[in-house]
Amino acid sequence: MTIGSLIEAPSEFTDSSSGKSAIVLMTRIRLARNLAGHPFPGWAKPSEREKVLESCRSVLISTPLLKRGLSVGVDELGELERRILVERHLISRELSGSKQGSGVVISKDQTVSVMINEEDHLRIQMMRGGFQLKKVWGAINELDSLLEDSFDFAFSPSLGYLTACPTNLGTAMRASAMMHLPALVIASQMEKVVRAVNQLGMVVRGLFGEGSDASGSIFQISNQTTLGESEEEILKRLSGVLQSIIEHELNARARLLESDSGKLFDKIGRAFGILQNGHVLSSNEAMNLLSLIRLGVDLGIFPEARRCVTDRLFIEAQPGHLQYAQKAEVDAGQRDLLRADRLRSEFANFPRPDFSLSANGKN
Amino acid sequence: MANPIKCDICSKPATVHLTQILDNKVHKIDLCEECAQEKGVTDPSGFSLADLLLKASLNPEATAGGMRCEQCGFTPVDFKKLGRFGCPACYIAFKGILDPMLDGMHKGVVHAGKVPQRAIERRSLHERLSKLEGDLSEAIKAERYEDAARCRDEINQVRQAVEQKPQRQER
Ligand SMILES: [Zn+2]
Ligand SMILES: [Zn+2]
């Protein structure tokens, strides 16, 4: 598979059919693994990096899950191609800016990606739409065990999997959920949530922006610690935290509808108007408008079948995707025009909001 | 502002102040604009507070001594600079620096998760095999033919075990 055909193909993110849910957009688990007896990538000589890259690429591309996917060195990718992979969460920003001797292998359906010579020799990652921690863990655990047949992973009985940074020791697992929390943002409760979640040893990050006012109200919640607990225990704890955030978001929505439905409907109605008619839209503004439309879907104001449109546009309105579609690098001002064009045409045939339905909105 | 708070990394005046509570311990970090930029505090995907706390927690004395990882040549000074180790063997070489650092960083200090069982078994079989092959050639040299025959039998057994190994045995 080539990078071009990968970009054109539907991804887990942009695909409409996979189990989308109202609040958890995506579940993701990442495992860090290193090869015993080899220096970590940040300390390895260029020739050592190349050797590790070559041997990892050839093993990975022959495993069943990755067989028909893309295997590519970072230096073979153009600037825009790298950006697209970052925007789709298939590679990290760190890898996209890395020097020679690093690469990535991505499955055809773009649910699995393995970064080679990022901070660790291997960063194995698996994503699924919706809230699916158990399923993703089952699948990535199996892939990891399969890779044991080909690699001797650096491991210590007392410290677990040995990673370049001690913050990843032990399970070397980072599990996360991407959550859409518009009501908590509107009600200015995100800061409180971030604090509470931190206290429980979990980390909250804005996905497209920063801190408690992330654009699009999309947040990534993940475990911070990796040593001293089993994978199952970490996932159980994370799952409990996610469940309670979902409850808080649902409560915040109920309260908004009860106390201030006029204001909430006004926001959603205006978002619809701007998306249908705007001519200049920054990335940040577009994310926030799309977030309101998505909330409208949750409340029954727009049909459920349109949820996939907002989820796809969250990614496709990003700068890399916009420029790739245009087949050129375009400056930020020009991009805002392009983005508005794109959104106007996507929303031209979008059903009008129906505010009478909201009382029996789902969830 | 007589006595401004200093950046934990470079000691310039700090303008970015972060707090995190982990296992009921409050961790604070203060950074100047530049270090905050460089550490990706403004980059939501690349920033890890735990990471910064880790570097700030390394005291200068611990990094002084002439320690060095024999496998990869890494020194504690390199760690202070990079915040990462050089190779897996560094975890043995720098145990003295690591242990206090791990205290409070995670839920515990002993691994409780997955073990790469198949790889470990394979490695121990391979080690057993190379030892037996050494024994065998010694026995032949010393003309201890009974010992040699026994070694050969064992080698065959171990070889078989190595070849059977890839059977799936999840948990
Ligand atoms: Zn500084
Ligand atoms: Zn070392």
Side-chain angles (χ1 to χ4, degrees):
Chain A
M1 183 175 213
T2 64
I3 177 73
S5 55
L6 182 132
I7 289 172
E8 299 303 331
S11 74
E12 185 71 3
F13 248 117
T14 54
D15 182 10
S16 56
S17 64
S18 59
K20 298 286 186 207
S21 80
I23 293 175
V24 180
L25 280 90
M26 174 77 68
T27 306
R28 173 158 60 145
I29 297 182
R30 184 219 77 196
L31 300 174
R33 295 290 184 257
N34 286 283
L35 309 185
H38 293 269
F40 296 129
W43 190 246
K45 296 192 192 80
S47 61
E48 288 166 325
R49 288 172 61 102
E50 290 291 349
K51 248 196 275 169
V52 167
L53 175 63
E54 279 324 303
S55 72
C56 289
R57 273 178 71 172
S58 72
V59 167
L60 290 167
I61 200 67
S62 62
T63 60
L65 267 176
L66 297 164
K67 203 165 238 154
R68 287 155 62 228
L70 170 73
S71 161
V72 72
V74 171
D75 54 0
E76 302 164 47
L77 293 171
E79 183 67 33
L80 276 179
E81 292 165 339
R82 291 182 208 189
R83 273 191 95 152
I84 290 210
L85 296 183
V86 172
E87 288 170 2
R88 290 191 187 177
H89 305 272
L90 292 168
I91 66 173
S92 64
R93 241 170 258 248
E94 189 179 344
L95 190 86
S96 90
S98 77
K99 39 186 191 296
Q100 282 224 299
S102 45
V104 65
V105 179
I106 301 171
S107 69
K108 192 161 186 275
D109 66 359
Q110 301 177 47
T111 58
V112 185
S113 77
V114 184
M115 292 188 278
I116 306 164
N117 283 336
E118 202 235 31
E119 181 180 307
D120 295 296
H121 291 135
L122 296 177
R123 286 279 174 101
I124 309 163
Q125 172 188 280
M126 202 171 283
M127 304 192 278
R128 288 274 158 78
F131 189 177
Q132 310 212 49
L133 281 174
K134 269 208 187 115
K135 210 175 193 176
V136 176
W137 166 242
I140 198 170
N141 186 24
E142 198 173 310
L143 172 60
D144 174 56
S145 296
L146 188 70
L147 293 176
E148 275 174 33
D149 285 342
S150 309
F151 298 118
D152 273 338
F153 291 139
F155 181 84
S156 134
S158 60
L159 295 174
Y161 289 95
L162 299 176
T163 49
C165 184
T167 53
N168 295 319
L169 283 174
T171 60
M173 177 184 79
R174 201 72 60 191
S176 64
M178 210 173 286
M179 304 183 91
H180 182 224
L181 306 172
L184 287 171
V185 171
I186 292 171
S188 312
Q189 287 179 13
M190 256 334 273
E191 223 162 293
K192 231 167 62 190
V193 170
V194 170
R195 232 176 305 133
V197 169
N198 277 350
Q199 228 141 358
L200 296 166
M202 303 288 165
V203 188
V204 183
R205 248 178 224 160
L207 189 63
F208 300 114
E210 256 192 78
S212 47
D213 47 36
S215 76
S217 301
I218 296 178
F219 298 87
Q220 182 176 299
I221 290 94
S222 60
N223 62 302
Q224 163 155 0
T225 59
T226 50
L227 182 63
E229 282 175 295
S230 69
E231 288 83 356
E232 285 82 4
E233 286 168 317
I234 293 172
L235 294 173
K236 201 170 142 205
R237 243 163 23 85
L238 177 61
S239 185
V241 169
L242 298 178
Q243 213 71 58
S244 103
I245 297 175
I246 292 174
E247 255 163 60
H248 278 93
E249 169 68 17
L250 292 177
N251 288 339
R253 290 181 185 188
R255 269 197 307 276
L256 281 179
L257 281 176
E258 228 167 82
S259 65
D260 233 350
S261 62
K263 216 162 156 191
L264 182 62
F265 291 171
D266 183 62
K267 278 181 193 285
I268 294 171
R270 279 167 189 263
F272 184 72
I274 297 172
L275 287 166
Q276 273 199 331
N277 299 296
H279 279 72
V280 182
L281 282 177
S282 70
S283 176
N284 190 46
E285 186 179 9
M287 292 297 133
N288 289 334
L289 297 173
L290 289 168
S291 160
L292 285 164
I293 300 299
R294 195 178 198 278
L295 176 60
V297 173
D298 293 345
L299 299 175
I301 293 169
F302 299 106
E304 173 70 30
R306 299 301 174 118
R307 183 190 304 288
C308 55
V309 176
T310 58
D311 290 1
R312 175 167 51 79
L313 290 172
F314 275 135
I315 301 300
E316 293 183 358
Q318 299 290 317
H321 278 77
L322 276 179
Q323 294 176 81
Y324 191 84
Q326 199 66 15
K327 307 224 177 317
E329 295 219 19
V330 181
D331 69 43
Q334 205 63 32
R335 279 206 298 270
D336 291 353
L337 293 171
L338 269 179
R339 184 177 293 111
D341 282 350
R342 176 73 200 279
L343 290 166
R344 269 201 326 279
S345 78
E346 290 275 355
F347 278 87
N349 296 311
F350 205 85
R352 290 189 47 75
D354 177 355
F355 294 106
S356 67
L357 276 176
S358 61
N360 54 9
K362 47 169 296 190
N363 286 329
Chain B
M1 291 261 290
N3 206 349
I5 297 171
K6 282 193 269 177
C7 171
D8 285 328
I9 293 176
C10 74
S11 303
K12 270 189 255 169
T15 54
V16 179
H17 312 283
L18 301 158
T19 310
Q20 186 172 44
I21 301 162
L22 182 56
D23 279 345
N24 296 321
K25 279 189 206 164
V26 180
H27 299 273
K28 282 209 170 92
I29 186 156
D30 306 293
L31 298 173
C32 70
E33 204 65 49
E34 278 159 50
C35 290
Q37 274 284 342
E38 193 198 329
K39 295 303 155 203
V41 175
T42 50
D43 171 359
S45 72
F47 168 56
S48 158
L49 187 56
D51 224 40
L52 288 171
L53 289 165
L54 167 72
K55 279 201 205 171
S57 73
L58 253 198
N59 58 4
E61 296 93 85
T63 63
M67 279 189 290
R68 187 170 239 288
C69 171
E70 281 182 21
Q71 285 277 316
C72 75
F74 203 77
T75 68
V77 178
D78 295 316
F79 185 82
K80 179 87 181 164
K81 220 175 345 181
L82 302 170
R84 307 279 182 272
F85 279 123
C87 80
C90 289
Y91 280 98
I92 300 165
F94 304 125
K95 194 173 177 337
I97 303 174
L98 180 74
D99 284 350
M101 221 161 40
L102 285 181
D103 185 36
M105 184 190 285
H106 290 283
K107 273 266 160 182
V109 292
V110 177
H111 181 52
K114 181 173 180 173
V115 171
Q117 206 56 53
R118 297 152 81 175
I120 287 173
E121 277 164 21
R122 180 183 55 220
R123 209 179 315 172
S124 76
L125 285 176
H126 278 295
E127 275 161 19
R128 176 117 189 80
L129 201 58
S130 64
K131 180 172 181 305
L132 281 170
E133 279 163 350
D135 289 354
L136 175 64
S137 63
E138 243 171 66
I140 292 173
K141 226 187 281 168
E143 304 187 2
R144 287 185 281 112
Y145 295 113
E146 249 172 65
D147 287 348
R150 213 180 38 239
C151 282
R152 211 169 277 130
D153 286 349
E154 268 191 67
I155 287 174
N156 285 335
Q157 279 170 13
V158 174
R159 284 228 171 98
Q160 263 172 10
V162 170
E163 271 149 33
Q164 274 161 12
K165 162 232 63 185
Q167 302 318 326
R168 190 62 39 90
Q169 40 121 309
E170 301 296 283
R171 79 198 60 219

